[in-house]
Amino acid sequence: MTMTTAPVKTMTRRAGAAFAAAGIVLGMLAGCSPAEPEPTPSKTALFASEAEAFAAAEETYRAYLADLNATDLSDDDSFRPVYDWLTDTALSAERESLSYYYAEHLTRTGETSFDTFSPLSHSEAKTVANICLDVSDVDLLDSDGRSVLPEDRPNRRALKVTFTPGDTSTRLAIASNHAPEDFSC
């Protein structure tokens, strides 16, 4: 009887060793096989059309002005929502202006608005538009209640505004704004 079980045990040991060896070889082959390349994300357009981009830019500027008009110049914490709409030179210029108003204890009356939004150009990197800013209702007053604005300040200002992709609800941020040479209000 031992003769019949001995070959079975030997065959079982050999089969087990063969399976183990096959497993090791497969494991080594798997380790040597080339790894699958990482998928490269495809770039999706920020906006489906130029019209959609310009609508988002106009909405961005309206939201920015709403937050700017809501600031309390005596409370620098109220400036934070304004900064969320800005990037690059527009952000640094706004920080400088609001910090100055805060340090000088100025008070703002009235609100800034715009009545003209003229689309100029759009690419994936930026959207550009001309805007006519209406500041006729706005005044800056010192602690004695006197205006610090020049008497000859124009009530409307022309601005060329550049928008770039941003982390806002409109997916755009204001990157720069300056007086254009070829546009007036």
Side-chain angles (χ1 to χ4, degrees):
M1 284 225 186
T2 54
M3 291 192 57
T4 51
T5 58
V8 172
K9 285 184 182 178
T10 305
M11 287 176 45
T12 306
R13 284 188 201 137
R14 286 184 189 155
F19 283 123
I24 292 171
V25 169
L26 285 175
M28 289 176 19
L29 288 176
C32 294
S33 65
E36 290 187 31
E38 289 290 321
T40 54
S42 59
K43 188 171 184 175
T44 305
L46 195 57
F47 299 103
S49 68
E50 194 174 72
E52 186 181 309
F54 288 127
E58 185 172 357
E59 183 182 343
T60 299
Y61 207 81
R62 284 190 196 287
Y64 156 72
L65 282 184
D67 284 343
L68 183 63
N69 288 328
T71 58
D72 174 355
L73 298 181
S74 67
D75 177 10
D76 59 348
D77 284 336
S78 73
F79 305 162
R80 289 184 186 157
V82 174
Y83 299 150
D84 290 343
W85 294 105
L86 305 170
T87 188
D88 300 334
T89 60
L91 177 59
S92 58
E94 193 74 65
R95 282 185 190 273
E96 188 176 315
S97 294
L98 290 175
S99 295
Y100 175 79
Y101 302 154
Y102 175 77
E104 293 296 315
H105 307 289
L106 298 180
T107 303
R108 183 192 58 246
T109 62
E111 292 190 350
T112 301
S113 62
F114 70 97
D115 56 16
T116 303
F117 182 92
S118 302
L120 292 178
S121 65
H122 168 70
S123 70
E124 284 303 309
K126 65 182 179 178
T127 301
V128 183
N130 282 332
I131 293 175
C132 282
L133 206 58
D134 184 348
V135 293
S136 60
D137 191 37
V138 177
D139 202 355
L140 289 174
L141 308 173
D142 65 15
S143 57
D144 294 327
R146 291 183 301 238
S147 178
V148 298
L149 296 175
E151 287 184 31
D152 61 345
R153 175 197 69 167
N155 288 328
R156 292 168 50 83
R157 288 182 45 205
L159 290 176
K160 186 175 193 174
V161 183
T162 301
F163 303 85
T164 57
D167 294 329
T168 66
S169 60
T170 62
R171 299 176 291 170
L172 290 176
I174 300 165
S176 69
N177 53 24
H178 61 277
E181 295 176 12
D182 56 350
F183 178 73
S184 62
C185 297

mmCIF file of all heavy atoms in Angstrom, residues 32-52:
data_model
loop_
_atom_site.group_PDB
_atom_site.id
_atom_site.type_symbol
_atom_site.label_atom_id
_atom_site.label_comp_id
_atom_site.label_asym_id
_atom_site.label_seq_id
_atom_site.Cartn_x
_atom_site.Cartn_y
_atom_site.Cartn_z
ATOM 1 N N CYS A 32 8.138 42.056 -15.924
ATOM 2 C CA CYS A 32 8.984 42.499 -17.023
ATOM 3 C C CYS A 32 8.185 43.074 -18.175
ATOM 4 O O CYS A 32 8.749 43.645 -19.091
ATOM 5 C CB CYS A 32 9.830 41.339 -17.545
ATOM 6 S SG CYS A 32 11.021 40.771 -16.325
ATOM 7 N N SER A 33 6.881 42.879 -18.169
ATOM 8 C CA SER A 33 6.102 43.388 -19.291
ATOM 9 C C SER A 33 6.014 44.909 -19.194
ATOM 10 O O SER A 33 6.034 45.471 -18.107
ATOM 11 C CB SER A 33 4.703 42.765 -19.291
ATOM 12 O OG SER A 33 4.001 43.182 -18.141
ATOM 13 N N PRO A 34 5.948 45.559 -20.337
ATOM 14 C CA PRO A 34 5.913 47.024 -20.301
ATOM 15 C C PRO A 34 4.636 47.518 -19.624
ATOM 16 O O PRO A 34 3.567 46.953 -19.821
ATOM 17 C CB PRO A 34 5.943 47.427 -21.777
ATOM 18 C CG PRO A 34 5.510 46.211 -22.531
ATOM 19 C CD PRO A 34 5.865 45.032 -21.669
ATOM 20 N N ALA A 35 4.795 48.536 -18.812
ATOM 21 C CA ALA A 35 3.636 49.107 -18.115
ATOM 22 C C ALA A 35 2.781 49.848 -19.126
ATOM 23 O O ALA A 35 3.275 50.389 -20.108
ATOM 24 C CB ALA A 35 4.107 50.064 -17.031
ATOM 25 N N GLU A 36 1.480 49.878 -18.855
ATOM 26 C CA GLU A 36 0.594 50.629 -19.735
ATOM 27 C C GLU A 36 0.882 52.113 -19.547
ATOM 28 O O GLU A 36 1.078 52.575 -18.420
ATOM 29 C CB GLU A 36 -0.861 50.331 -19.388
ATOM 30 C CG GLU A 36 -1.278 48.924 -19.766
ATOM 31 C CD GLU A 36 -2.765 48.715 -19.568
ATOM 32 O OE1 GLU A 36 -3.529 49.672 -19.714
ATOM 33 O OE2 GLU A 36 -3.134 47.578 -19.260
ATOM 34 N N PRO A 37 0.925 52.846 -20.628
ATOM 35 C CA PRO A 37 1.228 54.279 -20.497
ATOM 36 C C PRO A 37 0.111 55.000 -19.755
ATOM 37 O O PRO A 37 -1.050 54.613 -19.834
ATOM 38 C CB PRO A 37 1.323 54.756 -21.951
ATOM 39 C CG PRO A 37 0.543 53.755 -22.740
ATOM 40 C CD PRO A 37 0.666 52.451 -21.994
ATOM 41 N N GLU A 38 0.514 56.004 -19.016
ATOM 42 C CA GLU A 38 -0.463 56.826 -18.302
ATOM 43 C C GLU A 38 -1.316 57.548 -19.340
ATOM 44 O O GLU A 38 -0.794 58.090 -20.315
ATOM 45 C CB GLU A 38 0.254 57.866 -17.432
ATOM 46 C CG GLU A 38 0.964 57.282 -16.234
ATOM 47 C CD GLU A 38 -0.006 56.775 -15.188
ATOM 48 O OE1 GLU A 38 -1.039 57.414 -14.944
ATOM 49 O OE2 GLU A 38 0.270 55.695 -14.642
ATOM 50 N N PRO A 39 -2.624 57.581 -19.131
ATOM 51 C CA PRO A 39 -3.458 58.303 -20.094
ATOM 52 C C PRO A 39 -3.164 59.797 -20.014
ATOM 53 O O PRO A 39 -2.990 60.346 -18.923
ATOM 54 C CB PRO A 39 -4.885 57.994 -19.653
ATOM 55 C CG PRO A 39 -4.775 57.543 -18.238
ATOM 56 C CD PRO A 39 -3.391 56.982 -18.072
ATOM 57 N N THR A 40 -3.075 60.427 -21.148
ATOM 58 C CA THR A 40 -2.853 61.873 -21.170
ATOM 59 C C THR A 40 -4.209 62.540 -21.277
ATOM 60 O O THR A 40 -5.015 62.188 -22.140
ATOM 61 C CB THR A 40 -1.963 62.299 -22.354
ATOM 62 O OG1 THR A 40 -2.538 61.794 -23.551
ATOM 63 C CG2 THR A 40 -0.550 61.784 -22.208
ATOM 64 N N PRO A 41 -4.456 63.495 -20.376
ATOM 65 C CA PRO A 41 -5.766 64.139 -20.424
ATOM 66 C C PRO A 41 -5.896 64.982 -21.692
ATOM 67 O O PRO A 41 -4.949 65.630 -22.114
ATOM 68 C CB PRO A 41 -5.768 65.034 -19.175
ATOM 69 C CG PRO A 41 -4.340 65.184 -18.792
ATOM 70 C CD PRO A 41 -3.618 64.002 -19.339
ATOM 71 N N SER A 42 -7.052 64.900 -22.277
ATOM 72 C CA SER A 42 -7.271 65.718 -23.467
ATOM 73 C C SER A 42 -7.732 67.097 -23.010
ATOM 74 O O SER A 42 -8.469 67.230 -22.041
ATOM 75 C CB SER A 42 -8.323 65.082 -24.371
ATOM 76 O OG SER A 42 -9.539 64.935 -23.675
ATOM 77 N N LYS A 43 -7.274 68.101 -23.707
ATOM 78 C CA LYS A 43 -7.601 69.467 -23.339
ATOM 79 C C LYS A 43 -9.010 69.787 -23.827
ATOM 80 O O LYS A 43 -9.313 69.645 -25.001
ATOM 81 C CB LYS A 43 -6.587 70.440 -23.942
ATOM 82 C CG LYS A 43 -6.751 71.841 -23.445
ATOM 83 C CD LYS A 43 -5.623 72.710 -23.895
ATOM 84 C CE LYS A 43 -5.798 74.089 -23.279
ATOM 85 N NZ LYS A 43 -4.698 74.956 -23.579
ATOM 86 N N THR A 44 -9.853 70.188 -22.899
ATOM 87 C CA THR A 44 -11.218 70.547 -23.223
ATOM 88 C C THR A 44 -11.307 72.058 -23.276
ATOM 89 O O THR A 44 -10.785 72.746 -22.407
ATOM 90 C CB THR A 44 -12.183 70.012 -22.135
ATOM 91 O OG1 THR A 44 -11.979 68.605 -22.014
ATOM 92 C CG2 THR A 44 -13.612 70.302 -22.483
ATOM 93 N N ALA A 45 -11.973 72.562 -24.275
ATOM 94 C CA ALA A 45 -12.139 74.007 -24.410
ATOM 95 C C ALA A 45 -12.906 74.550 -23.211
ATOM 96 O O ALA A 45 -13.841 73.914 -22.721
ATOM 97 C CB ALA A 45 -12.866 74.328 -25.694
ATOM 98 N N LEU A 46 -12.495 75.699 -22.730
ATOM 99 C CA LEU A 46 -13.146 76.322 -21.584
ATOM 100 C C LEU A 46 -14.570 76.721 -21.926
ATOM 101 O O LEU A 46 -15.474 76.606 -21.098
ATOM 102 C CB LEU A 46 -12.322 77.545 -21.150
ATOM 103 C CG LEU A 46 -12.599 78.146 -19.802
ATOM 104 C CD1 LEU A 46 -12.443 77.123 -18.690
ATOM 105 C CD2 LEU A 46 -11.650 79.310 -19.549
ATOM 106 N N PHE A 47 -14.783 77.173 -23.154
ATOM 107 C CA PHE A 47 -16.104 77.592 -23.609
ATOM 108 C C PHE A 47 -16.403 76.951 -24.955
ATOM 109 O O PHE A 47 -15.506 76.739 -25.770
ATOM 110 C CB PHE A 47 -16.170 79.117 -23.714
ATOM 111 C CG PHE A 47 -15.925 79.800 -22.402
ATOM 112 C CD1 PHE A 47 -14.708 80.388 -22.127
ATOM 113 C CD2 PHE A 47 -16.902 79.821 -21.424
ATOM 114 C CE1 PHE A 47 -14.470 80.997 -20.900
ATOM 115 C CE2 PHE A 47 -16.674 80.419 -20.190
ATOM 116 C CZ PHE A 47 -15.456 81.008 -19.936
ATOM 117 N N ALA A 48 -17.674 76.675 -25.184
ATOM 118 C CA ALA A 48 -18.084 76.021 -26.422
ATOM 119 C C ALA A 48 -18.021 76.970 -27.616
ATOM 120 O O ALA A 48 -17.876 76.531 -28.751
ATOM 121 C CB ALA A 48 -19.493 75.464 -26.276
ATOM 122 N N SER A 49 -18.128 78.268 -27.353
ATOM 123 C CA SER A 49 -18.110 79.230 -28.451
ATOM 124 C C SER A 49 -17.543 80.561 -27.974
ATOM 125 O O SER A 49 -17.441 80.816 -26.771
ATOM 126 C CB SER A 49 -19.529 79.455 -28.981
ATOM 127 O OG SER A 49 -20.304 80.125 -28.008
ATOM 128 N N GLU A 50 -17.219 81.391 -28.922
ATOM 129 C CA GLU A 50 -16.746 82.741 -28.621
ATOM 130 C C GLU A 50 -17.840 83.530 -27.900
ATOM 131 O O GLU A 50 -17.569 84.261 -26.943
ATOM 132 C CB GLU A 50 -16.338 83.417 -29.930
ATOM 133 C CG GLU A 50 -15.534 84.662 -29.752
ATOM 134 C CD GLU A 50 -15.031 85.203 -31.086
ATOM 135 O OE1 GLU A 50 -15.862 85.737 -31.859
ATOM 136 O OE2 GLU A 50 -13.816 85.086 -31.336
ATOM 137 N N ALA A 51 -19.078 83.376 -28.337
ATOM 138 C CA ALA A 51 -20.206 84.079 -27.704
ATOM 139 C C ALA A 51 -20.335 83.691 -26.235
ATOM 140 O O ALA A 51 -20.588 84.544 -25.374
ATOM 141 C CB ALA A 51 -21.501 83.782 -28.460
ATOM 142 N N GLU A 52 -20.149 82.414 -25.941
ATOM 143 C CA GLU A 52 -20.213 81.937 -24.556
ATOM 144 C C GLU A 52 -19.083 82.546 -23.720
ATOM 145 O O GLU A 52 -19.281 82.932 -22.568
ATOM 146 C CB GLU A 52 -20.129 80.408 -24.534
ATOM 147 C CG GLU A 52 -20.335 79.807 -23.154
ATOM 148 C CD GLU A 52 -20.233 78.286 -23.169
ATOM 149 O OE1 GLU A 52 -20.907 77.646 -23.993
ATOM 150 O OE2 GLU A 52 -19.442 77.756 -22.344
#
